Amino acid sequence: MATYLAHYNESGEIVERREKEDSSYATPMPEPYIELTEEEFASTLSGEKTIDILTKKLIDALPYAPTAEEKAVEIRRKRNQYLRDTDWTQLADVALDESEVVRYAMYRRYLRDITDAEGFPVVSVMTFEEWSCS
């Protein structure tokens, strides 16, 4: 059974993996690294495991948590889609009564202001139906 080496950074993220006996590398595995069994090696490839830098042991990887910037991008993407989905409601010849046109205009204002909402980007973007019921 093969033995593997895994070089990791200060966050415990594995940045390089290789078979221990692989002589095709010109340089040795940089420090710090740990030795892994074939099964452990496979669990690092799948993202299931990472390295605890204090104990130098494999631990379960934490689920990915998006950054605030990634959340903001997703909120803006959803907001922009909802704005596009309701563009038709603001056309001059739309077949809606005036009160519905005004409600859609208010909803679209809510969408445009979402980035100023308290807690942004940790907010949810409501559909027109959800907004109408709130």
Side-chain angles (χ1 to χ4, degrees):
M1 185 176 272
T3 303
Y4 295 86
L5 301 176
H7 168 55
Y8 55 94
N9 64 18
E10 63 277 351
S11 301
E13 297 170 290
I14 297 171
V15 293
E16 185 179 350
R17 300 170 182 85
R18 64 171 85 153
E19 193 170 341
K20 184 177 182 178
E21 303 303 321
D22 188 344
S23 60
S24 65
Y25 291 92
T27 60
M29 177 65 84
E31 295 281 343
Y33 67 85
I34 64 170
E35 289 191 16
L36 303 172
T37 65
E38 203 163 323
E39 184 177 300
E40 290 171 330
F41 180 77
S43 72
T44 67
L45 290 174
S46 67
E48 297 170 29
K49 300 282 184 180
T50 190
I51 299 171
D52 180 324
I53 61 171
L54 297 176
T55 63
K56 298 182 181 173
K57 304 270 186 219
L58 282 181
I59 57 172
D60 289 337
L62 296 174
Y64 176 74
T67 65
E69 182 59 30
E70 290 169 327
K71 290 176 185 176
V73 166
E74 179 58 23
I75 292 296
R76 286 185 180 100
R77 184 202 61 76
K78 189 180 284 189
R79 182 257 333 252
N80 292 344
Q81 183 60 53
Y82 290 168
L83 282 167
R84 282 190 298 276
D85 291 348
T86 58
D87 279 347
W88 66 273
T89 67
Q90 303 305 298
L91 298 174
D93 61 347
V94 69
L96 295 172
D97 64 43
E98 186 60 30
S99 66
E100 285 180 293
V101 171
V102 169
R103 284 186 34 181
Y104 271 106
M106 291 170 55
Y107 170 66
R108 291 168 57 82
R109 170 56 45 207
Y110 150 78
L111 291 172
R112 285 191 291 279
D113 291 345
I114 197 86
T115 57
D116 296 328
E118 185 175 328
F120 179 83
V122 184
V123 296
S124 59
V125 183
M126 292 185 275
T127 63
F128 177 74
E129 292 75 20
E130 292 166 335
W131 178 83
S132 293
C133 294
S134 66

